[in-house]
Amino acid sequence: MKNLVHKIASSGGTVSRLNRATGLGCGRLGNFGRLAGPENRAVRHLGGCVSGVSPTRPTMLISCNNSGRFPLYGVDGNVRRMERNMNAMIRARSTMRQVTLAALGGRSLRLPGATAAGIGCQITGPGELFHHTLEFRPYSQQKAEHNHAPQPSDQSSTRNQAHRQAIMKSKTILLSTTTSTMLLFFASGCSTMKVPPLTTGSAGSYAQHEQKDGLVVGIQPMTDKREINDMFKVDLLDKGVLPVLIVAENQSASASFIMARDKISIQNEATGTASSSQRGKVTSGTGQALETTGVIMVGLGPLSLATAVVGLPLASVGMQKASSASVIEFNLADKEFYSSTLGPGAKAQGFLYYQFPKGSPPSGIFHVVAEIKNPASGETTAFDFPVNITPSH
Amino acid sequence: MSNNKSYRRFAPISALLLLLMAGCTHMTKQAPRAFTGYMVQQKLPLKVGVNITGELLKAKGEYHLQGDVWITPIGGSMATNAPVLARQVFADVVEMSNGRLPANQSVAAILTPRVAYITRTVAATRGGESIMDIKVEWTLADSKGNTIWVNTIDGRSIGTRGSLTEDLAWEALENVLLKSQTAISSAQAIRHFVQRQSP
C-alpha cells in the first residue's frame, strides 16, 4: 500500500510584513504543492496546497484542492517553520495534523474538485518561512491503512460499498481511456501526418486524353470524396475546391512543349467563366497581391491556404492540428501542376484546383483548356477536354 | 482596497500572459550569401540577362509555430544567387533590374526567376519531420519576350521542429540551385535556341 502514499510538499508562504500594532500579517502565496511520486496516477492531479497569511488573524492559512478525479483523504501532515537563524527546521507549535484530519482528510477533500482550508500555524514575525508537508491517499485505502479506525455502521457500509463500486468504475474508465489514448497515440494521433505521393499512369491511359503533334495530354477530374480524402487528407469538395489531374507526355522525338500554368484553365460551359489560377483563388482572401503575383504562399506564409482550405488558424489550435494543417497545405501545393517545358520523352503531372461556391458543387459541362506552345516554331496547340461533372458522395 | 491590491498584483501577470499569447514575429537575419557548390560544366555560348524583379526581392516565407512567426526573406538570397547560377551555365551574364538592361548592353535572352512557393511544415512532435520546400519558376525568354523555356524547380530540406528555419531554408535553396543548374543546362529547348543564335 505504500506506493499509494503521496506527499505533497508546499514550500513558500513567506511572511513579508507584520503589523506590530494589530498583529496582522501580509505575505505572499506559497508554491503549489507537487506530488512526490508518480506511482499512483489516481492522485497525480491533486492540486496540492497553497499558503498565505490570513487577512484577519496572525495565522498562516493552508488551502488544498483535490483537482484529480478520485476521492482522497489526508492522513498526516505538518507545517515546519524554517528558522533562519538556526539554519534548521523545527516543528512549529501548530501542526497541520488538525487541518488534515479534521478538514482535509475528514470530509472536504473526499470529492474531486473539493477545496479545504485551515490554519497552518501562528505567525510570530516577518520573514518567517514555512514548509508544509501533507500526505494524501486514495479514499478507498483509508480503511486498510487505519485499522484502528471506528467500524462503519451498516448504512455507512452500504455507502462505502457504493463508493467503492464508483471508484472501481472510475478506474475502469481511466484504464480504458488510457488504453484508447495510447492506441490513438501510436496509431496516428501524435505523429506528423503522412501523405501519399502522387503517382499517375501514362497520359494515354486516362479516359479523357488527346494527342497532338506528339504531345499526349490526359485529364481526370477527381469527384470521388473517398479518393480525394485519400490523396489530400481533406474533403476538398466540401471546401469548395474540385481537383483536376492533368498528365502530359511528350512522345515527340525532337520537339519541346511549354505548358505554362496560366495557359491552362477550366471553363464553365453554361456561364462561360474561366478559371486559370485555381489555388490562388482558394487563398484569395488576402486580395490583390495574389492575383498580381499569381503566387500563393510567397509573402503570405503557410497560414493562408491552411486557413482557407483546412479552416484552421495555426496559432490558435493544438500542435497536432497545426501540424496536420501545414502538411495538408504543403501536400496541396506539392501536387499542384506547375509550369514546365517538356523535352522529348518528358512527362509532367499535377492537379489544377477549380474553386466553386461552397455548398454548390460543380455539375454540368466544363472544359479543361490548355494552350501548349512549341518554342522552336512558336506555334500554339490547344487542347480542349469537355468534362461532364457529376459529384459523387 | 483589497480589490485594488489584487488588480495591482495581477496586472503585470495579465500583461505578461497577453504578451505571451500574442506571440512574436522573428525575422531570419542571415545575410544573403552565394552558393558555390555547383557542378563544373561547359557553358552555353549565350549572352543572358538575369532579371531581378521587385517581386522576387520581396519573396518571403512564413513559418508559424505556437503563436510565433518566423519570416524567411528568401527573395534576397535568390536575387544574390540567380546571377551566380547563370554564370555557371551561360558564357556571358548581365544583371538586370525589373526588366531594365544596363546602358549600352544587349542580350540574346532574359532569365527571370520567381519564387512560386515556399513553406515549412510543422512537426507534430519535437522529433517529428518538418519539411522546408521552395519552388522556383525560371523563365527564359528571347529579347522580344517570347518564352523559350519555363520550368518550376522544387528544392526541399527535412529537419525537425527544433531545426533553425534559416538552416533549412538554405539547404532547400542549395537544392533548388543545383537542380536548376541541371535543368537549365540540359534543356533541349534552350540548346536549340543557342544553336539558332550561333552564326
Side-chain angles (χ1 to χ4, degrees), chain A residues 74-113:
Chain A
V75 294
D76 199 1
N78 60 63
V79 176
R80 292 172 184 170
R81 176 183 288 116
M82 296 179 73
E83 199 68 46
R84 284 186 166 183
N85 294 335
M86 295 172 64
N87 196 24
M89 289 193 297
I90 57 169
R91 189 176 289 268
R93 282 195 300 272
S94 224
T95 71
M96 279 294 292
R97 180 172 294 277
Q98 58 179 343
V99 177
T100 55
L101 295 181
L104 307 181
R107 302 226 176 250
S108 303
L109 277 189
R110 278 177 53 179
L111 298 176

Side-chain angles (χ1 to χ4, degrees), chain A residues 89-234:
Chain A
M89 289 193 297
I90 57 169
R91 189 176 289 268
R93 282 195 300 272
S94 224
T95 71
M96 279 294 292
R97 180 172 294 277
Q98 58 179 343
V99 177
T100 55
L101 295 181
L104 307 181
R107 302 226 176 250
S108 303
L109 277 189
R110 278 177 53 179
L111 298 176
T115 300
I119 297 169
C121 61
Q122 302 293 320
I123 293 170
T124 56
E128 286 177 325
L129 289 169
F130 296 91
H131 183 83
H132 317 132
T133 303
L134 294 170
E135 284 185 16
F136 291 93
R137 299 176 190 189
Y139 189 74
S140 58
Q141 302 299 322
Q142 184 177 23
K143 189 178 173 184
E145 290 290 315
H146 293 271
N147 292 327
H148 60 277
Q151 294 295 316
S153 65
D154 286 346
Q155 281 184 344
S156 64
S157 174
T158 310
R159 277 202 304 272
N160 285 344
Q161 196 175 358
H163 204 100
R164 276 197 296 275
Q165 283 174 354
I167 289 168
M168 287 301 291
K169 194 177 174 184
S170 300
K171 280 182 176 175
T172 309
I173 292 169
L174 178 71
L175 186 66
S176 59
T177 308
T178 309
T179 310
S180 308
T181 308
M182 293 292 282
L183 281 173
L184 275 172
F185 180 89
F186 286 114
S188 64
C190 214
S191 59
T192 306
M193 180 189 280
K194 298 286 181 195
V195 288
L198 175 60
T199 50
T200 57
S202 64
S205 68
Y206 291 91
Q208 286 186 285
H209 70 272
E210 221 176 325
Q211 179 170 0
K212 289 182 181 175
D213 304 328
L215 181 69
V216 186
V217 178
I219 64 143
Q220 185 185 36
M222 198 177 265
T223 54
D224 184 74
K225 286 198 171 191
R226 193 171 55 187
E227 199 180 0
I228 291 172
N229 269 318
D230 288 345
M231 180 65 72
F232 298 104
K233 305 295 178 194
V234 65

Side-chain angles (χ1 to χ4, degrees), chain A residues 315-386:
Chain A
S316 62
V317 296
M319 185 58 72
Q320 179 66 45
K321 286 183 177 176
S323 173
S324 298
S326 72
V327 172
I328 287 169
E329 179 272 324
F330 165 66
N331 185 42
L332 274 167
D334 200 43
K335 290 187 167 77
E336 188 173 8
F337 189 90
Y338 287 91
S339 298
S340 63
T341 303
L342 298 180
K347 179 183 177 185
Q349 61 199 15
F351 282 94
L352 305 172
Y353 300 111
Y354 176 71
Q355 193 192 14
F356 57 88
K358 281 183 188 176
S360 59
S363 62
I365 307 293
F366 287 77
H367 290 261
V368 178
V369 179
E371 290 179 11
I372 298 170
K373 184 185 169 189
N374 182 330
S377 64
E379 291 175 359
T380 300
T381 306
F383 286 78
D384 186 341
F385 298 97

